[in-house]
Amino acid sequence: MSHPQTVCITGAGRGVGLELTRRYLERGDRVLAGVRSPETADALAQLSGDIEIHRLDVVDEASLAAFSDRLAGAAIDVVIANAGVLFGWGGLEDPAYTAESWRETLMVNVFGPFATAQALAPNLCAAAAAGRAPRLAIIASRMGSTAEVIGKGNSYSYRASKAAAVNLARNLAAELKSKGVAVGAYHPGWVRTDMGGAGADISVEESAAGLMARFDALTLARSGVFEDYLGASIAY
Ligand SMILES: NC(=O)c1ccc[n+]([C@@H]2O[C@H](COP(=O)([O-])OP(=O)(O)OC[C@H]3O[C@@H](n4cnc5c(N)ncnc54)[C@H](OP(=O)(O)O)[C@@H]3O)[C@@H](O)[C@H]2O)c1
């Protein structure tokens, strides 16, 4: 892996995205950090290194187009579609499952990575044309494993959205392989963030360190993987 790389991360203002940003900067890579609201991205603003903070709402086509225009076709080595939302951990009776929350979940967790791929494919292809090894990482979840959903019966909209995100990653892997871009779907672990909660298994540091190693190991030959932050394959 040659360094430095240019890495674009969505949802970079907090949680796993923020820690990935911090670690890539620490390694000397260049980070294009996408956030919905740069004005309030205080934690990002305090990071030092080769960082550009960009306004990017992954469900807003105008925001995606403006971001893509600003990049002007520049090569990107790694795109990490990390932005995600979760509404409702419960069963059918959970009041979180409104039409509006389903819309938001499917838009952010499914359309979001798709639209990110669509907007940044030219930048990944530019890296391939320059003889680099571009990669697209979609942060899904093991909760999106259709094989593992057996016996669960909860978190309906989130599980459905992440199953779709895995499908999307594998479908994109098929299209982008001939263009020299590798694609993978990843489970970051159950992580102590706003989404994962204080009782989750691992820290953002453990998750981000593991994920970065997985992204470094992603090649065209392995394109289409669905694996966790430690490299264990997950059945889809
Ligand atoms: N934490 C876990 O245990 C866990 C487990 C499995 C998978 N994951 C996945 O890992 C990823 C990161 O999760 P996390 O735990 O770091 O979550 P988090 O702390 O809740 O952070 C979510 C991030 O997504 C951003 N976001 C939401 N909607 C967006 C939009 N429309 N456009 C751009 N950014 C948007 C948020 O930005 P704002 O600050 O603007 O809201 C925030 O930066 C997600 O895809 C999540 O589903 C997490």
Side-chain angles (χ1 to χ4, degrees):
M1 191 66 49
S2 63
H3 295 287
Q5 302 181 75
T6 299
V7 182
C8 175
I9 304 173
T10 70
R14 57 191 169 99
V16 173
L18 176 63
E19 181 60 16
L20 283 168
T21 302
R22 198 185 67 71
R23 283 182 174 259
Y24 277 112
L25 291 174
E26 194 175 75
R27 194 166 86 168
D29 292 318
R30 170 176 175 70
V31 180
L32 311 175
V35 289
R36 283 195 280 200
S37 168
E39 301 77 14
T40 57
D42 297 339
L44 265 189
Q46 283 169 17
L47 297 178
S48 49
D50 192 356
I51 182 170
E52 277 179 22
I53 301 176
H54 288 268
R55 183 182 305 282
L56 180 61
D57 182 331
V58 299
V59 300
D60 178 340
E61 286 169 311
S63 173
L64 287 152
F67 180 52
S68 174
D69 285 351
R70 283 196 300 278
L71 296 176
I76 299 181
D77 299 287
V78 185
V79 171
I80 305 171
N82 164 76
V85 293
L86 184 160
F87 300 100
W89 293 96
L92 284 172
E93 76 294 343
D94 191 325
Y97 301 132
T98 60
E100 181 49 35
S101 79
W102 266 91
R103 255 192 295 277
E104 174 86 1
T105 304
L106 294 176
M107 284 301 286
V108 176
N109 294 359
V110 187
F111 176 74
F114 173 76
T116 301
Q118 208 178 27
L120 301 182
N123 306 85
L124 290 164
C125 290
R132 284 142 70 168
R135 284 143 285 146
L136 167 63
I138 295 182
I139 305 299
S141 169
R142 97 173 304 135
M143 288 173 76
S145 163
T146 300
E148 292 188 15
V149 85
I150 308 300
K152 299 292 185 190
N154 58 27
S155 307
Y156 284 96
S157 49
Y158 186 75
R159 286 185 189 280
S161 73
K162 291 298 188 176
V166 175
N167 177 286
L168 184 68
R170 292 179 58 76
N171 203 357
L172 284 165
E175 179 173 0
L176 294 177
K177 192 164 200 168
S178 63
K179 297 177 177 159
V181 180
V183 185
Y186 296 91
H187 172 60
W190 183 26
V191 197
R192 291 187 288 276
T193 62
D194 293 338
M195 182 185 291
D201 285 340
I202 61 169
S203 64
V204 284
E205 291 82 2
E206 288 170 277
S207 175
L211 287 172
M212 278 173 67
R214 301 323 309 155
F215 306 157
D216 285 346
L218 178 60
T219 59
L220 280 176
R222 303 192 67 246
S223 195
V225 290
F226 177 27
E227 60 188 19
D228 73 8
Y229 71 110
L230 294 175
S233 278
I234 303 173
Y236 36 85

